[in-house]
Amino acid sequence: MSWQEGLALLESLETPTVEIYNKVLKACAREGQWEPGCWLLDEMVELGLEPDRQSFVLAIEACGEQGRYEEANHVLSYMKDAEHELDNEVYGYVARACEAAKNWRQLQWTLDEMTYRELIPDLVTYNRAIGGCGEEGEWEMALTLVLEADRRGVTCDYVSYDLVIQALHKAKQPTRAHDLLKTMKEAGVAPGKDMLALVLELCQEAGEMARVEEILKDLNRGGLGAGGRRVKS
């Protein structure tokens, strides 16, 4: 059922149920139709129906697909008022909306709220936040998030480290970038050739020849240039 077919179904019913509304909301979420997804919640209330947790989650999901972070947070506030459970799935959709809108500050606030509620963001949410920090030039925060993820039991992947390296490259931080390569290897994640090339360029510009020689050895080493593979112990 498409979202248009769902709306037509609702119009044909004299007494639609929450379950029917949720089926339509699911279609809206699937097709990224945030606007009908939001006003269907209001329509339910006007009809004397009480949206359940799934109703709110689907509306937020629809907002997330289209970068409507303000609307997503508005629905989130309704969820809080209704005292529904808030979990990683819900905040993940809000984070997706912030990322799609390139509102990195709001994304960081979303992450902070998850921490306040003692929720542990998943790797995808962390990577969104790390990438956002890079876009904003906040390389210190990007590094902090990698360390925080590790401390909270979330294993960073190649994408996580690559986003931080890009932020450090933009900020001209050769020492930090080179140190991060070591952290990657200790974590069992192999730097890729493109990543090594970025750090090499930084170290060359800074005249740090000892680091340059070390990176060149890594580039010429058999098991280290593919990117993302686990380092053999």
Side-chain angles (χ1 to χ4, degrees), residues 91-106:
Y91 282 104
Y93 292 139
V94 177
R96 183 187 300 176
C98 296
E99 180 189 37
K102 296 188 180 299
N103 191 317
W104 311 119
R105 186 65 60 187
Q106 184 65 51

Side-chain angles (χ1 to χ4, degrees), residues 207-227:
E208 298 188 12
M209 301 314 297
R211 296 180 189 274
V212 168
E213 290 179 10
E214 188 175 337
I215 296 169
L216 287 173
K217 288 179 182 177
D218 284 344
L219 281 168
N220 293 324
R221 192 171 297 156
L224 191 60

Side-chain angles (χ1 to χ4, degrees), residues 109-152:
W109 288 340
T110 301
L111 206 67
D112 290 344
E113 184 170 341
M114 292 183 73
T115 301
Y116 172 76
R117 293 182 176 275
E118 299 183 348
L119 294 171
I120 299 177
D122 61 16
L123 179 60
V124 172
T125 302
Y126 265 118
N127 282 350
R128 283 178 174 139
I130 291 168
C133 290
E135 290 286 340
E136 289 292 301
E138 296 182 2
W139 60 268
E140 292 114 323
M141 180 57 70
L143 273 173
T144 297
L145 287 173
V146 167
L147 296 174
E148 177 189 307
D150 181 67
R151 178 177 58 81
R152 303 186 75 182

Side-chain angles (χ1 to χ4, degrees), residues 14-155:
E14 186 174 341
T15 56
T17 63
V18 171
E19 289 73 21
I20 295 296
Y21 268 100
N22 283 351
K23 288 181 180 180
V24 182
L25 283 166
K26 187 173 184 179
C28 291
R30 185 177 60 248
E31 299 177 43
Q33 294 295 323
W34 65 271
E35 199 165 12
C38 288
W39 59 250
L40 282 174
L41 291 178
D42 293 331
E43 184 175 284
M44 291 171 73
V45 174
E46 290 174 3
L47 292 174
L49 296 173
E50 184 175 343
D52 61 15
R53 185 180 184 279
Q54 185 183 17
S55 311
F56 289 111
V57 172
L58 289 169
I60 292 174
E61 182 181 358
C63 294
E65 294 292 340
Q66 298 299 319
R68 308 300 300 196
Y69 67 92
E70 290 181 339
E71 289 80 2
N73 276 298
H74 186 62
V75 177
L76 182 63
S77 69
Y78 276 130
M79 277 196 79
K80 295 174 184 175
D81 291 341
E83 299 183 347
H84 287 295
E85 178 189 1
L86 303 176
D87 59 10
N88 282 351
E89 179 187 25
V90 174
Y91 282 104
Y93 292 139
V94 177
R96 183 187 300 176
C98 296
E99 180 189 37
K102 296 188 180 299
N103 191 317
W104 311 119
R105 186 65 60 187
Q106 184 65 51
L107 177 52
Q108 186 59 53
W109 288 340
T110 301
L111 206 67
D112 290 344
E113 184 170 341
M114 292 183 73
T115 301
Y116 172 76
R117 293 182 176 275
E118 299 183 348
L119 294 171
I120 299 177
D122 61 16
L123 179 60
V124 172
T125 302
Y126 265 118
N127 282 350
R128 283 178 174 139
I130 291 168
C133 290
E135 290 286 340
E136 289 292 301
E138 296 182 2
W139 60 268
E140 292 114 323
M141 180 57 70
L143 273 173
T144 297
L145 287 173
V146 167
L147 296 174
E148 177 189 307
D150 181 67
R151 178 177 58 81
R152 303 186 75 182
V154 179
T155 302

Side-chain angles (χ1 to χ4, degrees), residues 139 164-173 176-177 180 202:
W139 60 268
V164 181
I165 289 291
Q166 290 181 47
L168 293 170
H169 182 265
K170 186 186 297 185
K172 304 295 183 183
Q173 295 289 328
R176 300 278 189 173
L180 188 61
L202 282 175

